Amino acid sequence: MAEKVTIATVARHARVSRQTVSNVLNTPQIVREETRQRVQEAIVALGYRVSQAARQMRTGRSRLIAMRIEPTRDGINGSVLDRFLHGLTESAEVAGYRVMLYTAGDTEREITAYDDLLSAYDLDGFVLTGTDHGDPRTAWLAEREVAFVAFGRPWDDLTAHPWVDVDGAAGTARATRHLLERGHRRIGFLGWPAPSGVGDDRRAGWRAALHAAGIDPAGLERAVEDGIAEGEWSMRDLLNADEPPTAVVCASDSLALGALQAVRASDPAVAVVGFDDTPVAAATGLTSVSQPLGEAAARCVDLLTAVLDGDQQSPEPVLLQPSLVLRHTA
Amino acid sequence: MAEKVTIATVARHARVSRQTVSNVLNTPQIVREETRQRVQEAIVALGYRVSQAARQMRTGRSRLIAMRIEPTRDGINGSVLDRFLHGLTESAEVAGYRVMLYTAGDTEREITAYDDLLSAYDLDGFVLTGTDHGDPRTAWLAEREVAFVAFGRPWDDLTAHPWVDVDGAAGTARATRHLLERGHRRIGFLGWPAPSGVGDDRRAGWRAALHAAGIDPAGLERAVEDGIAEGEWSMRDLLNADEPPTAVVCASDSLALGALQAVRASDPAVAVVGFDDTPVAAATGLTSVSQPLGEAAARCVDLLTAVLDGDQQSPEPVLLQPSLVLRHTA
DNA sequence: TCCAGAAACTTGAACGATCCAATCCTGCCT
DNA sequence: AGGCAGGATTGGATCGTTCAAGTTTCTGGA
């Protein structure tokens, strides 16, 4: 039975002290090159690996970051978080961190979960998603000086905490301009009721693009909760107007899918663009605005490690540009 | 600043020794009831939480289980793992475990990942998904006596290791019987090329149901790789046969979605049933066979904890029954 | 050659829990 | 009253690492 390889085993093998091995691992610059190499060879030869538990006990840091996994409500938009999570795990591994999952029924229980994760597992940081106006979670974490990054802007105060987000307005603007170039003039918008950080942002992009083209958006928009059925009937409503749109930009693929069903029967083909580029969009040939989720996840890890390494308290937020994936519907 | 609460703090507060507090936590039955209560009160009063790091260092166990998160290839079927993962996290929390994620490009690197996770983080166990014929991962883990459960049967030898699975054959059989009850006689099947554990199983259910009804399945099936396009053209192929089917059961929602597109133009409506009940199925009104993923995840945790608690080396495998979710297409 | 000062390396202690072996009760039997 | 079994409780050692402080080695200038 192979004996456990500890830092002491390596030290003996390389004929140095424990501390020198530790220095090779943590502060290699203070170790003489020759010694460093000797220790490195011993590490490889013995297959040594640092015990995170022991390190954690001494330093109080676990090299673990946590993210909440939500029950896939909609299922359609759920895949966005799924892809983000994969990117996060991958980027975290490169930076020497691991991702731990947790669930929480509501915000209150989420805060209880923080408390538990922090005291029992010495978690290093959190990645939050779907932060909203005056989120109690960010306040709780900030108060206790826990490192965290949000995927999604703090809409009240953009300097409240580090964040990474995708420029939704730029995405809808791009979609709208694409439709304008295709000759559409009456371009509708299906979005969510205000106030909604994400929703208002996406609406603003559409509106700005129309304004820039000298078109009045009045009467061309509808605001409903997210969902396929909601998308379908609000699109029908839009089509029944005096001057119905010939194209529509939607705040989500769910709405777009509903719109598509409403439009199917209509005579002159009405163009539809969705948002998020979910698998459903790919499956049904829906043109959609795509978020660079892998990139977003990588930036989250960057910001989080910057805070954890103490480089800076609040690193510059990151705003990424989405792209338009053209398919059959527009 | 609140001082850190350790087992010693609790001991002092409850006027007992450290060991007694430890006993209250780990083997409460050997502590006198009165003492136990006094210690419990102190724990609550001080907000004490056991330091996993310290416990882990002494015991070598981390109360952490790991699961691989794969890049959502298809996106459609990816959501299955996503839902499973949520269930797993939830059930693990109840059992006092946490879920850690890892990625791995290929099988070889996955084994390297095991090594790393085990030696650095003292991982307690793994949940594997998509195990296949003669999987090297299970062999590696078994050899080192690492606890693991597979979500998916070991198709060669059903007693090779603990597993949880969903009875795919029962699902396709149920779907087929449903179509028979609706009066269909010529019921086709779109599946994957053999050998494929999951695929062959699902095909077998369809075939058995037809046999039971005295129908010859010859010429009614097609085998292709998974995908929407593949589903579409193989369904067209099936429709061009001498006696085309009036209904089709598919091995996945991707294939079913393709089949649906091929069928859309056909005059007498051809019924389509998918498999996995993905969000895409829900969105497009596709009737599909649904796997009880939350239940499966919970059983995985049950088996894994049984192994970890040393109750039994190889607990009974679990085979769950899927259900048929009826929508517009069948 | 000698010495100051920096660089490189070593030693002892500590993190917070559990394991082990030893001690203290308590009630019961003689 | 004394002895004893057995459960309840205690103190010391330990896991593998890093921190703090100490010791040795090296470098270069007088």
Side-chain angles (χ1 to χ4, degrees), chain B:
Chain B
M1 200 58 199
E3 201 159 326
K4 202 179 288 181
V5 181
T6 79
I7 211 171
T9 323
V10 176
R12 217 176 309 130
H13 193 271
R15 273 175 257 181
V16 292
S17 69
R18 303 189 315 273
Q19 183 61 36
T20 302
V21 179
S22 176
N23 286 337
V24 168
L25 293 168
N26 302 304
T27 44
Q29 65 275 14
I30 73 162
V31 179
R32 202 182 350 148
E33 177 61 17
E34 180 197 320
T35 316
R36 201 189 58 72
Q37 290 212 348
R38 189 151 38 94
V39 172
Q40 278 295 3
E41 280 164 21
I43 287 178
V44 174
L46 297 169
Y48 166 78
R49 279 185 162 98
V50 25
S51 155
Q52 288 296 343
R55 164 178 287 180
Q56 178 179 349
M57 176 144 96
R58 195 72 180 83
T59 63
R61 312 220 355 223
S62 59
R63 301 203 78 83
L64 242 41
I65 61 183
M67 181 171 149
R68 173 177 172 186
I69 182 167
E70 302 179 52
T72 26
R73 305 156 279 181
D74 184 306
I76 295 187
N77 294 313
S79 81
V80 172
L81 277 188
D82 185 34
R83 285 181 287 166
F84 179 78
L85 194 55
H86 182 266
L88 189 73
T89 307
E90 212 158 36
S91 302
E93 278 176 14
V94 174
Y97 287 84
R98 295 274 171 187
V99 176
M100 180 184 268
L101 296 177
Y102 66 96
T103 60
D106 49 39
T107 305
E108 195 182 333
R109 263 184 276 169
E110 178 152 13
I111 287 179
T112 312
Y114 291 157
D115 207 11
D116 191 40
L117 289 164
L118 288 169
S119 51
Y121 289 91
D122 285 317
L123 244 92
D124 285 353
F126 290 87
V127 175
L128 302 190
T129 55
T131 54
D132 219 327
H133 293 282
D135 202 304
R137 300 174 297 164
T138 57
W140 193 95
L141 292 171
E143 196 181 319
R144 282 159 189 77
E145 297 187 326
V146 179
F148 71 95
V149 184
F151 177 41
R153 272 161 279 186
W155 297 96
D156 336 307
D157 172 10
L158 292 181
T159 63
H161 55 72
W163 55 265
V164 172
D165 206 354
V166 175
D167 193 341
T172 46
R174 193 179 200 130
T176 308
R177 281 199 306 275
H178 169 76
L179 293 169
L180 286 167
E181 282 165 19
R182 290 255 175 142
H184 293 280
R185 303 296 294 168
R186 299 192 57 79
I187 301 168
F189 183 81
L190 256 50
W192 308 316
S196 146
V198 177
D200 299 350
D201 186 44
R202 293 183 183 178
R203 182 185 353 261
W206 159 78
R207 201 170 277 179
L210 282 193
H211 270 135
I215 299 174
D216 181 12
L220 282 171
E221 74 177 85
R222 291 293 182 278
V224 288
E225 290 300 322
D226 199 50
I228 296 177
E230 287 81 356
E232 184 167 356
W233 60 254
S234 56
M235 187 64 201
R236 274 196 223 289
D237 187 44
L238 215 47
L239 290 174
N240 285 335
D242 291 343
E243 297 187 80
T246 63
V248 65
V249 175
C250 304
S252 76
D253 278 357
S254 304
L255 290 175
L257 224 67
L260 218 51
Q261 286 173 13
V263 150
R264 185 155 289 154
S266 70
D267 196 15
V270 174
V272 177
V273 180
F275 206 114
D276 278 344
D277 189 28
T278 56
V280 187
T284 54
L286 174 67
T287 290
S288 188
V289 178
S290 173
Q291 305 197 40
L293 293 170
E295 172 84 4
R299 293 291 144 269
C300 280
V301 173
D302 287 350
L303 295 193
L304 200 52
T305 51
V307 175
L308 289 173
D309 296 345
D311 292 355
Q312 25 189 341
Q313 268 309 308
S314 49
E316 278 299 301
V318 176
L319 189 60
L320 298 169
Q321 294 304 310
S323 58
L324 187 63
V325 178
L326 296 178
R327 295 204 181 86
H328 309 321
T329 63

Side-chain angles (χ1 to χ4, degrees), chain A residues 16-20 31-32 35 57-58:
Chain A
V16 293
S17 68
R18 303 186 317 271
Q19 184 61 41
T20 301
V31 180
R32 195 168 14 130
T35 317
M57 177 143 102
R58 193 67 241 254

